[in-house]
Amino acid sequence: MTIKVLVADDQSMVRAGFRMLLAQEPDIEVVGEASNGREAVDKAARFGPNVILMDIRMPELDGLEATRRILATDAGARVLVLTTFDLDEYVYEALQAGASGFVLKDDPPEQLLAAIRTVAEGQALLSPAVTKRVIREFTRIHRPVAPKGLDELTEREREVLSLIAEGRSNAEIGEALFISETTVKTHVTHVLQKLDVRDRVQAVVLAYQAGLVEAGSDPA
């Protein structure tokens, strides 16, 4: 399957760089570019991309609101936020808005390509290194609130959710709980269904809202 990508960034050189990089990949096609959030919303509706690379700071409409509007009309779209370490406060808001993950603008090309393929497959992308910074910002300005559906989780499902929030992969969760990776996948599916979230990123947000993970804990 060809992954259709929309690149939304207000810097033309950045967009050109992404287009050149992605054009070399046989399974990825850049279907459009947007220089502001409003244009990103319009082109997402027109071209139906699988993945939107979304800058946060853009004119007319910022990337946060653009993300909300895109996902409101197309729940199947996946938004990868383009960010830098000094924009951490926006990353958490992007996750709340429904973004499936984020990549740093200075990440190596292979990491960007892997990120696009990961979210295109319906998975979420949460970098442990940046997660800790986002958590620190989140816990500074928010108080824990128990999300809807949390009471429905079994004790084992709560353990799985806590490990997801620490940035653990399914294999690492299995090792920590002494269960198979297949069993972990089943638990993860149940957690997402009960919390009514679409991916692991949204589950992580809820885990910190509920105070299931200490803010000072290091992601795996």
Side-chain angles (χ1 to χ4, degrees):
M1 182 191 76
T2 299
I3 301 170
K4 297 186 294 184
V5 176
L6 173 66
V7 180
D9 194 293
D10 62 340
Q11 297 182 44
S12 59
M13 291 297 290
V14 172
R15 296 197 307 273
F18 281 131
R19 179 179 281 277
M20 289 178 60
L21 171 66
L22 300 180
Q24 301 175 42
E25 302 302 309
D27 61 332
I28 297 176
E29 176 189 2
V30 177
V31 295
E33 298 179 16
S35 59
N36 60 65
R38 196 173 304 280
E39 190 178 357
V41 174
D42 292 340
K43 290 192 174 181
R46 187 190 314 171
F47 299 119
N50 307 111
V51 178
I52 299 101
L53 292 179
M54 181 76 74
D55 188 23
I56 291 179
R57 287 185 171 178
M58 291 189 293
E60 295 194 35
L61 194 70
D62 66 27
L64 297 174
E65 183 58 28
T67 295
R68 295 186 187 99
R69 295 188 185 186
I70 290 172
L71 295 179
T73 58
D74 182 6
R78 292 290 182 262
V79 176
L80 261 179
V81 173
L82 299 170
T83 187
T84 55
F85 276 128
D86 61 337
L87 291 177
D88 288 334
E89 67 272 22
Y90 296 105
V91 173
Y92 177 75
E93 292 182 51
L95 297 180
Q96 280 194 313
S100 292
F102 47 85
V103 290
L104 302 178
K105 287 190 175 182
D106 58 356
D107 274 345
E110 58 271 18
Q111 284 189 223
L112 172 65
L113 296 172
I116 290 173
R117 293 184 175 107
T118 295
V119 299
E121 292 173 357
Q123 302 180 50
L125 187 75
L126 203 60
S127 165
V130 185
T131 298
K132 185 162 59 174
R133 294 171 178 265
V134 176
I135 293 164
R136 186 180 301 121
E137 177 66 17
F138 165 62
T139 52
R140 183 179 67 81
I141 60 178
H142 295 271
R143 291 183 177 180
V145 177
K148 180 181 177 181
L150 184 64
D151 291 341
E152 298 180 21
L153 299 184
T154 64
E155 182 177 349
R156 176 47 56 90
E157 289 167 353
R158 281 175 175 255
E159 291 175 332
V160 170
L161 177 58
S162 295
L163 292 172
I164 290 174
E166 291 177 7
R168 307 285 187 103
S169 67
N170 286 346
E172 291 168 335
I173 293 173
E175 291 178 5
L177 299 180
F178 303 102
I179 57 179
S180 71
E181 191 170 346
T182 299
T183 301
V184 173
K185 291 179 180 178
T186 299
H187 286 312
V188 171
T189 298
H190 291 164
V191 168
L192 299 184
Q193 290 175 341
K194 290 181 179 180
L195 294 181
D196 193 25
V197 294
R198 65 178 190 161
D199 57 36
R200 296 167 81 102
V201 168
Q202 304 304 309
V204 168
V205 172
L206 291 184
Y208 282 98
Q209 286 179 331
L212 292 181
V213 182
E214 293 295 326
S217 63
D218 287 346

